[in-house]
Structures are given as structure tokens and as C-alpha cells.
Amino acid sequence: MKHATGPWKVRKWVCRWDKVEKHGKEFHRHSSVFDITSPDGLLVSDIKSEADAHLIAAAPELLEALKTCRDFFHGMFNDDSAEDFYENIEAYKVVVSAIAKAEREKE
């Protein structure tokens, strides 16, 4: 799977109208929407939560940081016999699991 290249940016749009039903009456409510865009301006996602939008926008950098951590663990040992050692380190397992989730691979 190939992700859109980062870094991604968040833009706030205040132009969305939502229908809301309350006490049997229908209302129209103006709400904010946050777009996450790639460097070439393509829409990656849109979401109502600003906090979630910023977390999503940080995803490419977070994935690269996790890969750097994984490579650091691999670099600690130069032979395959040490694989069992770092497979038992909880931080390593968390890093590898998060990378697999981001890249939709089996853990």
C-alpha cells in the first residue's frame, strides 16, 4: 500500500451545514470541517474534530519515526541470532505492531 506523501497540512473550513433533529424539529447547523491535504494539494481526509485532524496530519512523520526506532533496534545487533532478544522487548513489539497497522501488514 502506498500512502500520500507528507507532510500533510490541516485547513479549517467553516462551510458545512448539518441537519440536526432535536425534540421532533429539524435544524440546520453550521459546523467546522478540517481538511487534511498532501503537499500537492490533494485531499487526504476531512474530519470534524480538530484534534483528530492534527493527529492524522502527523501520520507520515510518526510512521517515519517508528521506522527509525525499529531500525535502531535492528542496528543494536548485527546478527540474526539476537532476533529473539529484541522480540521480547515490549517497546520493540509496540513499534513493529504500529508500523504493521499503518502499512496494513500482518503483525
Side-chain angles (χ1 to χ4, degrees):
M1 172 188 346
K2 180 121 170 91
H3 299 97
T5 57
W8 297 345
K9 296 185 180 188
V10 176
R11 294 183 309 169
K12 181 178 180 179
W13 295 95
V14 200
C15 60
R16 187 171 184 167
W17 289 92
D18 296 324
K19 279 187 188 177
V20 179
E21 191 171 314
K22 193 171 186 180
H23 305 295
K25 294 182 181 179
E26 190 176 280
F27 297 92
H28 291 274
R29 177 177 68 184
H30 194 251
S31 64
S32 298
V33 176
F34 299 89
D35 286 347
I36 298 103
T37 57
S38 66
D40 52 8
L42 294 175
L43 180 67
V44 174
S45 183
D46 64 0
I47 194 163
K48 285 186 175 186
S49 166
E50 183 174 10
D52 290 344
H54 286 283
L55 181 60
I56 292 167
E61 290 93 345
L62 293 171
L63 180 57
E64 284 307 310
L66 288 169
K67 288 179 177 180
T68 300
C69 290
R70 180 200 56 204
D71 295 345
F72 171 78
F73 277 111
H74 286 202
M76 289 173 59
F77 307 101
N78 291 327
D79 60 43
D80 292 334
S81 64
E83 179 100 14
D84 290 336
F85 175 75
Y86 58 76
E87 284 289 332
N88 292 315
I89 298 174
E90 189 61 30
Y92 177 80
K93 291 191 283 187
V94 170
V95 165
V96 170
S97 176
I99 292 169
K101 186 175 183 179
E103 295 182 339
R104 292 177 141 340
E105 295 173 1
K106 283 190 173 184
E107 296 178 30

